[in-house]
Amino acid sequence: MAKKRKPIRVGVVGVGRGRSFMRAAAATGMELVAICDTWEERLEPEGKALGVVTYVDYDAFLEHDMDAVVL
């Protein structure tokens, strides 16, 4: 029996174009853990809806515990 792998923990930059990836991350075996954008009015509601941490500061976002970043 194959060992179950941990999902790749990913962060996404951009709530506009990144939205489709954010919503499909789980279906691709990834776990969305953080999103980053300077557009706070869209960022905060999206983060709440997805249950993830949000960042407006890119450097702080990169310090989040994740395996990969999608731009």
Side-chain angles (χ1 to χ4, degrees):
M1 180 178 251
K3 199 174 178 183
K4 187 169 180 172
R5 295 182 184 176
K6 289 183 180 180
I8 297 170
R9 295 170 45 84
V10 16
V12 174
V13 175
V15 291
R17 293 182 183 227
R19 174 177 271 150
S20 60
F21 182 85
M22 290 186 286
R23 299 208 180 271
T28 62
M30 298 182 193
E31 176 186 1
L32 180 66
V33 295
I35 55 177
C36 180
D37 201 306
T38 57
W39 194 358
E40 274 187 273
E41 295 80 22
R42 287 188 66 187
L43 176 67
E44 294 302 322
E46 195 70 30
K48 279 187 176 186
L50 295 168
V52 297
V53 180
T54 59
Y55 294 92
V56 291
D57 181 285
Y58 183 69
D59 292 324
F61 167 74
L62 291 177
E63 292 178 18
H64 192 91
D65 181 26
M66 57 191 158
D67 303 312
V69 172
V70 175
L71 302 174

